[in-house]
Amino acid sequence: MDVKITINGKLYEKDIEPRLLLTHFIRDAAGLTGTHVGCETSICGACTVLAGGLAVKSCTMFAVQANGAEILTIEGMAREGEMHPLQESFWEEHGLQCGFCTPGMIMTCHQLLTRNPSPDETQIRGALDGNLCRCTGYQNIVKAVQSAAGKMKHRRGAAAGD
Amino acid sequence: MIAQQFDYTVAASVAEAVALLQKHGDRARILAGGHSLIPMMKLRLAMPEMLIDIGRITELSYIKEESSYVQIGALTTHHAIESSVIVQRRCPALSEAAGLIGDIQVRNKGTIGGSIAHADPAADYPASILAFDAVVITIGPKGERQIPASQFFLDLMTTALEPNEIVRAINVPTRTGRSASAYVKMAQKASGFAICGASAVVELDASGALAHAAIGVTGVGNRAFRATETEKALHGRKPTAELLRAACEKAAGGVSALDDIHASAEYRLDLVRIFARRALEKAIERAGN
Amino acid sequence: MKPRFVGQPIKRKEDPRLVTGASAYVDDIVLPGMLHMAVARSIHAHARIKSIDTSRASKLPGVRAVVTGEEIAANCGQLPAAGDIKNMKRPVHHPLAVGKVRFVGEPIAAVLATDAYVARDAAELIQIDYEELPAVTNPEKAVQQGSPILHEEFSDNVAYSFGWENGNTEDGFSKADTVVKQRFINQRLAPVSMEPRGVIAAIRMPENELVVWSSTQVPHLLKTQLGLMLGIPENRMRVIAPEVGGGFGSKLNVYAEEALVGYLAKKVGQPVKWIESRRENMAGTIHGRDQINDVELALKKDGTILAMKLKVIADIGAYYQLLTAIIPTLTGLLAPGAYRVPALKFDLVAAFTNKMATDAYRGAGRPEATYLIERIIDIAARKLGMDPVDIRRKNFPKPAEFPFQTSGGVFYDSANYEKALDRALEVADYKGLRKKQAELRKQGKYMGIGFSSYVEICAMGPSIAMASGGWESGTVRIEPTGTVTVSTGASPHGQGQETSFAQIAADELGIDMENVTVLHGDTARTPYGIGTFGSRATAVGGTAMYLALQDLKEKMKKFAAHMLETTPGNIEFEVGKLVMTGTARSVSFMDVVTSAYVAKKLPPGVEPGLEATRFFEPSNFTFPFGTHICVVEIDEETGEPKVVKYVAVDDCGNVINPLLVEGQVHGGIVQGISQALYEEVVYDENGQLLSGTLMDYAVPRAHDFPMFELERTVTPSPVNPMGIKGAGEAGTIGSTPSVVNAVVDALAPLGVTHIDMPLRPEKIWKILKLGRAS
């Protein structure tokens, strides 16, 4: 079946099997391997991307369901070589170790901060229910999200002041 | 893991979905958000030969407020229900249940229709669907049916849906006056599904007595159930702490509880007592305010 | 020269590629003509394979090969298992089962296809006819007469037995005022690195070299072992550990799939990839822990420990993996913990059962020891009416007594246990916590305070104690243009040594960190090494690099002295230059490098070039330590425990990068808390795996924890020149008992002295219910 899926602004048109998972379309058909696969039961969240602006687990979606959709993956977060504040903050706060969960984490946190620009610690921890990390104990991930929220608020403020 | 091969077709309308279901019969399954079905397909616990994708029928995604009920389209996502001001105001238990399902990603994609049609015994919604005496509106070749919640959930993964029917909407009757609802749960640590979830819908009369009390329980038996003994014990009485405690002793009724590595039947039955009371306390407090 | 980088919380060099998704893990690597392998696995815990029908699988379009046990057994060696325990029974262990399967998930056949989806379909089409046999999953039953026998070449399921005694245990017990006894279950855990395992193998020209990309912690050991298994000379083997998404010990191994992928790539002459699914990971990647510990502790009435007896039953599963046999023996070494235990008798029986093998999981044998000593000392304190702090303090060896020889048979290098304990008490406000606990108890609420004053065995280790050598290697090359390339035999997979090693190298040479690149994980680009595990990469691998740096500095001093017409003893390194001591005369770093490479004016007897390789053989392990304090509150109705406060004061010696150490401690604490409260691999009595997906095996989430309060004391280790002890496992080793001690403390008013892990709400609920009834 022929599908057209836009990933990070670029259109990919492919003839695929209906059973092809969105995550494999992104990784194999589009060659964007920043989106990872860590389980098959929709628990670990390493495969999280934004589809139509919504954080979804791309391993729990067939690519055909995303026909015509706009997808944002970790590769689309930095703009003109400049990291997204979440990427910066994960780096600065040591919010990652092995890095395997990180792309999914960042995409989920992106959704969180879009919906709630000033989350408190409990809200951040709750928002991460769909993303497992085995390295960091989540401590510095929470700090990274707090720091990114501050940065994004500051930037919005600066932009509004212009 | 990887699902078995299947054919895939998109239904552009409810009528088309029903026609496709009728045409393909047993070999087809309806795909909505996919969050119940796809994980099972990947583990090859479900191997449909055909999927009929109703995910693009946007007219099935809505929350409509009427004077005596709230109607929720089958394809409304858990996130939409969780964040709907209407649902929060008119049926907070349902909003709370939606907000306690899985995680952000699952709630963005999973739908209420898909969830209740799947009828996982540990799903969150059924407790509230039962407690509200909601009505499941289905559509099939013979037209629409309105199935009361009490007759919808039949057994483990089994509902009153005919093989060629789909869920179109859920009507959630709401009360006026001093009424409120609440949902509380203990989650299974790994999956987030309910080990015990309880939903309470209450209405207080002018004297502060319980004019109505309904309690739905999920996660405990093969299907969600109403705590009818408790409801009877509460009816018309002032909800003192002692009364709630005593009434909830019978909340599990004679249900045969699930027993697995996450919780024994004995524990689940005791949790019914605890969570039924906690849901009631929360709902009553809300109603009082 | 004052360090500019070492000791600073410098953000990692690794991260830009990781936070942007630019990095490549095994599954991200695509080679031209690559085929995909899928594995058909046993659905039974114990069965005879009557027949395997591969015909339907072979006929599926896209399938290139199907292999079964006989072919592999004839062409490929068995899986390696270390350990030279005297009576160790060594069962046959082929990569694919031959004739019989012994655990759910055991590989039976492998399929090769053009596409991963087709490979999976084909694996599902393989029809295996089994004759089911009775299974045994309880290790105590497994070693009894009449139990089903896993390996018919042996008379029973005792894999080995082992033991020793240090000091006179009976004498200690005969003088005791009191003896406390307890059985502890250290349940089976799954490591669950977020990246499952994965392997690619390809034959590369011109040397017909087999290149293997594997998600491994030990590329060099894997190269040696795979070469032996596949009959490929080691100088035509290359193993690359690309970005590795965590391991926690589970990738410190040689697995069947690694051999199968290598064999098939050789057989068909095309690259082959295999990526583990999570379900395969839960069933077929090593598990950790799974010990039963029967402990007896003899004490005087003032709390002084006199002697200890420890009997261990280790449930090692169906076969040995690489370090399966060794892990339980480590428990004995650390059983005395941070205390003076004058005599210790240690007996160990390892049992074959119808389960996946156990092996190294974060801590590996040592969390079990810390758990049992930290629990039994609490039990003793309660029996003697002592505060858990006082009994610990009473039995700590004093700082002046180090190196301290223990009855575990090791020499603890350096420590100040009391200092860490005192600091933890202060940070946690222990008196305030006890006051709060008393108030809550009056209200019928359950709050508990738990301690763990742990010590651990790290920086593995001296070669005499290690199956395959305990040294590590490091090469430093100063390139002709002045940048520095460090290559280490260690194999970091999340720990951040690209950063911490660059900090050390930059400080030693007086250059900027940007000018240092750290290579690892590729046997063709690094000196032969051992790998990353046992909290060893910085303490042992970092030291090898440090020694290589010293060699280069000495050599550079000779060049500088020659240029400045002085002696090398008068030269010092400063930032960007080498200076003649006490003068303003200097030559730039770059000029010295140039002079070493253009080699026109070599100092007499000095060779050109600036490259050095060193191998560091540590004289001992290191022994990090600390005190953790956990505070829990318990829902008095449902029994749910919640960690509400967590204080950790750790001492891992000198610290290169505090950010990285904190990260290691955070992650370790969470894994340790999670063992105490949530995680458990569950097999039913027929050997079916009931916790085979992440829907049933509880990896903890962010909402399960509060923010931890971390502090450090610093007691340098004398074992290596930088005074480093290692930090990778402390959190896991220290945390588990503090949580269980806290829950038991909370429930003490109900007469509770012990609960087995994981402390699921239901277990606590039962106790609360009995308490209410009485």
Side-chain angles (χ1 to χ4, degrees):
Chain A
M1 168 173 181
D2 202 46
V3 295
K4 290 176 185 171
I5 299 173
T6 304
I7 308 177
N8 305 330
K10 193 176 160 195
L11 181 71
Y12 296 86
E13 195 174 347
K14 296 266 172 193
D15 184 23
I16 58 166
E17 272 191 283
R19 64 172 170 163
L20 183 74
L21 294 169
L22 177 60
T23 194
H24 290 140
F25 185 91
I26 294 168
R27 290 177 50 80
D28 302 336
L32 296 167
T33 58
T35 300
H36 299 146
V37 183
C39 76
E40 52 266 349
T41 49
S42 213
I43 295 286
C44 86
C47 64
T48 302
V49 300
L50 298 192
L54 295 174
V56 298
K57 291 179 177 171
S58 62
C59 80
T60 311
M61 246 182 109
F62 295 117
V64 287
Q65 292 176 279
N67 192 7
E70 302 243 356
I71 307 289
L72 180 70
T73 73
I74 189 68
E75 288 91 343
M77 288 292 278
R79 289 289 150 88
E80 284 151 23
E82 202 171 311
M83 283 185 196
H84 187 277
L86 272 164
Q87 293 173 311
E88 268 177 20
S89 295
F90 268 72
W91 186 13
E92 289 160 4
E93 300 295 333
H94 191 32
L96 62 146
Q97 289 175 33
C98 83
F100 195 78
C101 75
T102 311
M105 281 281 177
I106 288 178
M107 299 317 287
T108 300
C109 295
H110 182 59
Q111 172 87 92
L112 166 69
L113 294 182
T114 312
R115 287 180 180 165
N116 178 2
S118 312
D120 63 26
E121 187 190 325
T122 309
Q123 289 167 327
I124 295 171
R125 289 183 183 277
L128 297 176
D129 272 353
N131 293 79
L132 299 181
C133 170
R134 197 64 158 160
C135 296
T136 64
Y138 306 100
Q139 302 277 310
N140 288 344
I141 292 176
V142 174
K143 287 184 206 162
V145 178
Q146 287 165 333
S147 156
K151 278 184 193 179
M152 287 163 76
K153 207 181 301 169
H154 182 75
R155 285 181 200 181
R156 271 192 304 274
D162 284 344
Chain B
M1 299 283 276
I2 293 151
Q4 203 181 50
Q5 282 178 324
F6 55 84
D7 294 325
Y8 172 83
T9 185
V10 173
S13 66
V14 178
E16 194 185 343
V18 172
L20 283 165
L21 254 187
Q22 201 168 8
K23 184 175 158 199
H24 295 288
D26 280 354
R27 56 186 292 266
R29 294 275 305 257
I30 291 285
L31 177 68
H35 275 52
S36 302
L37 185 57
I38 296 175
M40 291 184 67
M41 289 176 68
K42 288 168 67 184
L43 298 175
R44 298 196 180 200
L45 298 171
M47 294 187 275
E49 291 168 47
M50 166 155 228
L51 288 186
I52 301 164
D53 187 353
I54 61 168
R56 289 166 197 273
I57 307 175
T58 46
E59 77 244 31
L60 285 184
S61 173
Y62 63 89
I63 294 165
K64 196 166 71 177
E65 187 170 24
E66 301 289 349
S67 59
S68 62
Y69 63 93
V70 172
Q71 187 175 87
I72 301 173
L75 288 189
T76 311
T77 62
H78 311 322
H79 172 69
I81 293 168
E82 170 194 11
S83 55
S84 156
V85 178
I86 296 169
V87 181
Q88 285 167 2
R89 185 165 34 84
R90 297 277 300 271
C91 25
L94 201 62
S95 166
E96 283 169 329
L100 290 171
I101 295 172
D103 48 59
I104 284 185
Q105 297 96 309
V106 168
R107 297 196 289 273
N108 275 343
K109 199 71 197 143
T111 65
I112 188 167
S115 173
I116 67 168
H118 186 62
D120 190 305
D124 291 292
Y125 285 131
S128 301
I129 302 277
L130 283 173
F132 278 107
D133 287 311
V135 175
V136 181
I137 304 169
T138 66
I139 185 158
K142 291 181 211 152
E144 280 200 1
R145 284 204 295 158
Q146 301 219 347
I147 308 173
S150 59
Q151 294 164 28
F152 184 78
F153 300 106
L154 300 181
D155 205 345
L156 198 82
M157 312 291 209
T158 310
T159 68
L161 272 178
E162 295 293 332
N164 47 14
E165 268 185 322
I166 64 172
V167 176
R168 192 181 71 72
I170 294 101
N171 273 357
V172 186
T174 59
R175 292 171 175 272
T176 47
R178 295 172 70 197
S179 73
S181 63
Y183 177 72
V184 290
K185 89 192 246 200
M186 178 188 274
Q188 196 258 73
K189 205 71 210 162
S191 68
F193 275 86
I195 281 181
C196 174
S199 188
V201 178
V202 300
E203 185 174 339
L204 302 175
D205 67 16
S207 71
L210 283 162
H212 176 83
I215 301 135
V217 179
T218 190
V220 175
N222 271 347
R223 60 185 174 103
F225 61 91
R226 282 274 289 266
T228 46
E229 293 286 306
T230 302
E231 293 172 5
K232 274 185 218 153
L234 294 171
H235 191 77
R237 304 181 64 183
K238 288 216 163 137
T240 60
E242 301 88 281
L243 174 69
L244 294 182
R245 199 168 285 280
C248 288
E249 291 294 332
K250 304 165 200 154
V255 73
S256 155
L258 300 167
D259 197 317
D260 58 31
I261 62 169
H262 303 291
S264 69
E266 189 196 2
Y267 185 47
R268 277 190 166 91
L269 290 174
D270 199 48
L271 292 177
V272 176
R273 174 181 71 81
I274 297 164
F275 282 89
R277 197 196 72 239
R278 288 180 182 184
L280 281 165
E281 284 167 351
K282 206 168 163 187
I284 289 163
E285 198 197 324
R286 276 186 187 145
N289 290 333
Chain C
M1 190 169 48
K2 226 180 112 197
R4 296 187 296 155
F5 307 114
V6 168
Q8 299 301 311
I10 288 170
K11 59 182 187 178
R12 299 199 310 174
K13 289 165 82 86
E14 291 87 339
D15 289 1
R17 67 174 189 262
L18 296 169
V19 299
T20 56
S23 193
Y25 300 81
V26 172
D27 195 17
D28 303 339
I29 296 166
V30 176
L31 301 176
M34 192 164 76
L35 301 171
H36 298 263
M37 182 179 87
V39 180
R41 294 170 188 275
S42 176
I43 56 168
H44 295 297
H46 198 191
R48 220 170 287 290
I49 301 171
K50 285 162 69 183
S51 66
I52 304 173
D53 180 356
T54 61
S55 56
R56 287 177 67 203
S58 303
K59 282 179 206 143
L60 195 70
V63 171
R64 292 290 301 277
V66 183
V67 293
T68 56
E70 282 75 15
E71 177 178 343
I72 297 298
N75 292 287
C76 181
Q78 297 188 34
L79 290 164
D84 54 0
I85 299 158
K86 218 185 275 167
N87 57 16
M88 186 171 157
K89 292 177 189 137
R90 286 185 169 274
V92 173
H93 189 192
H94 294 297
L96 291 178
V98 176
K100 201 175 157 183
V101 284
R102 296 177 179 86
F103 68 95
V104 167
E106 181 168 359
I108 294 175
V111 176
L112 204 54
T114 48
D115 173 282
Y117 282 43
V118 175
R120 188 70 253 155
D121 290 341
E124 301 286 330
L125 289 175
I126 293 174
Q127 284 173 319
I128 302 153
D129 193 10
Y130 300 95
E131 177 197 337
E132 267 192 83
L133 299 169
V136 60
T137 56
N138 176 323
E140 285 184 294
K141 286 187 184 153
V143 296
Q144 281 166 12
Q145 289 252 321
S147 163
I149 290 180
L150 272 81
H151 301 284
E152 283 149 5
E153 61 267 43
F154 307 125
S155 56
D156 58 31
N157 294 318
V158 177
Y160 64 85
S161 57
F162 179 76
W164 40 256
E165 181 173 14
N166 284 318
N168 189 336
T169 317
E170 284 312 324
D171 185 53
F173 275 81
S174 70
K175 289 178 180 147
D177 295 321
T178 189
V179 171
V180 281
K181 285 185 197 178
Q182 184 64 50
R183 163 167 282 207
F184 300 106
I185 311 282
N186 218 291
Q187 82 273 30
R188 183 172 276 248
L189 302 177
V192 196
S193 58
M194 290 321 301
E195 183 209 21
R197 292 186 292 121
V199 200
I200 299 172
I203 297 283
R204 284 286 173 91
M205 293 302 127
E207 298 293 339
N208 257 332
E209 183 181 56
L210 185 76
V211 185
V212 177
W213 289 260
S214 183
S215 184
T216 182
Q217 301 172 225
V218 285
H220 296 279
L221 295 183
L222 185 60
K223 182 190 72 158
T224 303
Q225 294 300 329
L226 271 186
L228 291 171
M229 287 178 81
L230 300 171
I232 299 174
E234 197 171 356
N235 57 4
R236 288 201 280 114
M237 285 285 306
R238 176 181 176 188
V239 173
I240 300 169
E243 208 71 74
V244 173
F248 312 106
S250 72
K251 296 173 182 173
L252 156 54
N253 227 305
V254 178
Y255 283 101
E257 296 87 353
E258 289 170 316
L260 292 171
V261 165
Y263 170 76
L264 287 168
K266 217 173 82 168
K267 176 179 162 129
V268 300
Q270 271 174 262
V272 175
K273 181 192 248 186
W274 171 76
I275 299 298
E276 184 181 53
S277 73
R278 180 59 65 192
R279 207 155 58 154
E280 290 180 298
N281 177 264
M282 300 305 290
T285 285
I286 62 100
H287 295 152
R289 318 280 190 261
D290 212 347
Q291 289 187 9
I292 300 169
N293 303 131
D294 286 305
V295 186
E296 289 180 63
L297 193 68
L299 304 102
K300 291 203 278 198
K301 58 176 173 283
D302 69 354
T304 305
I305 298 169
L306 297 172
M308 181 179 184
K309 289 180 195 167
L310 168 59
K311 282 188 182 159
V312 177
I313 300 161
D315 179 347
I316 63 167
Y319 302 93
Y320 302 110
Q321 282 281 340
L322 191 63
L323 301 176
T324 302
I326 294 171
I327 305 301
T329 67
L330 299 176
T331 303
L333 302 187
L334 194 61
Y339 311 109
R340 183 192 314 280
V341 178
L344 169 62
K345 188 166 187 315
F346 174 60
D347 289 293
L348 163 64
V349 174
F352 291 124
T353 60
N354 292 105
K355 302 178 187 172
M356 180 60 200
T358 54
D359 202 309
Y361 169 56
R362 202 170 193 174
R366 294 154 288 149
E368 294 90 326
T370 303
Y371 180 69
L372 66 88
I373 181 70
E374 285 303 294
R375 284 288 304 118
I376 197 79
I377 201 164
D378 255 39
I379 291 170
R382 211 166 289 282
K383 189 167 180 196
L384 292 167
M386 288 178 81
D387 189 288
V389 171
D390 297 335
I391 194 165
R392 285 176 168 79
R393 212 186 279 282
K394 176 142 219 116
N395 289 288
F396 284 154
K398 300 281 175 263
E401 295 178 68
F402 289 82
F404 180 79
Q405 183 172 18
T406 77
S407 55
V410 290
F411 282 89
Y412 291 171
D413 58 345
S414 60
N416 189 336
Y417 298 138
E418 223 169 340
K419 190 174 165 189
L421 173 66
D422 285 335
R423 187 69 197 124
L425 293 172
E426 208 174 306
V427 175
D429 181 21
Y430 182 50
K431 277 186 191 153
L433 285 174
R434 285 287 181 214
K435 221 169 112 185
K436 189 178 169 197
Q437 182 184 41
E439 285 161 15
L440 287 171
R441 276 182 181 164
K442 276 186 212 152
Q443 301 164 30
K445 295 198 185 307
Y446 298 93
M447 167 204 165
I449 306 156
F451 287 85
S452 166
S453 289
Y454 72 94
V455 60
E456 55 164 335
I457 305 176
C458 278
M460 304 224 155
S463 293
I464 192 154
M466 306 271 293
S468 59
W471 47 270
E472 196 48 89
S473 63
T475 296
V476 182
R477 182 164 75 219
I478 304 174
E479 309 284 357
T481 49
T483 56
V484 173
T485 306
V486 171
S487 2
T488 173
S491 197
H493 43 283
Q495 296 86 348
Q497 270 93 9
E498 289 175 37
T499 306
S500 56
F501 281 20
Q503 288 174 265
I504 296 166
D507 268 346
E508 287 300 316
L509 297 173
I511 60 174
D512 287 338
M513 276 181 66
E514 296 84 78
N515 291 333
V516 184
T517 293
V518 179
L519 303 178
H520 57 81
D522 180 346
T523 59
R525 298 223 288 179
T526 57
Y528 194 92
I530 305 297
T532 290
F533 55 88
S535 305
R536 67 190 307 277
T538 306
V540 189
T543 301
M545 170 192 67
Y546 177 87
L547 296 177
L549 284 163
Q550 303 316 309
D551 285 358
L552 287 181
K553 284 171 79 173
E554 288 312 305
K555 190 166 180 181
M556 287 183 78
K557 282 180 186 175
K558 287 179 188 164
F559 279 100
H562 194 58
M563 292 158 83
L564 292 169
E565 295 174 334
T566 180
T567 54
N570 284 333
I571 301 290
E572 293 169 34
F573 271 74
E574 282 191 9
V575 176
K577 60 190 177 186
L578 288 81
V579 180
M580 194 167 152
T581 312
T583 74
R585 298 189 59 207
S586 67
V587 282
S588 75
F589 177 83
M590 200 52 239
D591 283 348
V592 176
V593 173
T594 304
S595 136
Y597 279 99
V598 300
K600 307 290 185 224
K601 291 182 192 164
L602 292 173
V606 178
E607 293 171 0
L610 290 171
E611 177 166 333
T613 296
R614 288 289 296 269
F615 293 77
F616 176 59
E617 169 62 38
S619 56
N620 189 3
F621 302 105
T622 64
F623 298 85
F625 60 91
T627 289
H628 288 201
I629 301 177
C630 176
V631 181
V632 296
E633 286 175 10
I634 289 168
D635 183 317
E636 62 268 27
E637 285 188 302
T638 64
E640 282 171 287
K642 178 133 189 83
V643 174
V644 294
K645 186 181 181 73
Y646 201 96
V647 172
V649 177
D650 295 292
D651 193 321
C652 59
N654 287 334
V655 167
I656 308 299
N657 186 334
L659 207 58
L660 303 189
V661 169
E662 271 179 26
Q664 288 297 315
V665 174
H666 286 156
I669 289 173
V670 159
Q671 279 176 332
I673 293 177
S674 193
Q675 169 168 21
L677 298 182
Y678 310 128
E679 293 180 41
E680 184 175 27
V681 173
V682 184
Y683 287 91
D684 72 9
E685 56 192 23
N686 300 317
Q688 285 299 323
L689 179 60
L690 303 182
S691 55
T693 72
L694 294 181
M695 298 281 279
D696 289 303
Y697 187 88
V699 173
R701 294 180 167 86
H703 75 239
D704 293 318
F705 308 98
M707 280 292 180
F708 304 146
E709 298 163 64
L710 263 49
E711 291 228 3
R712 263 197 314 276
T713 59
V714 177
T715 309
S717 170
V719 174
N720 57 66
M722 289 188 287
I724 296 163
K725 291 195 172 210
E729 294 159 296
T732 317
I733 290 171
S735 58
T736 307
S738 74
V739 181
V740 179
N741 283 340
V743 171
V744 172
D745 183 57
L747 300 173
L750 300 172
V752 172
T753 54
H754 180 66
I755 316 172
D756 274 319
M757 299 185 292
L759 307 178
R760 293 200 169 154
E762 180 167 354
K763 290 183 187 168
I764 299 171
W765 163 84
K766 252 184 206 150
I767 290 163
L768 292 167
K769 209 172 143 194
L770 285 174
R772 268 192 298 272
S774 60

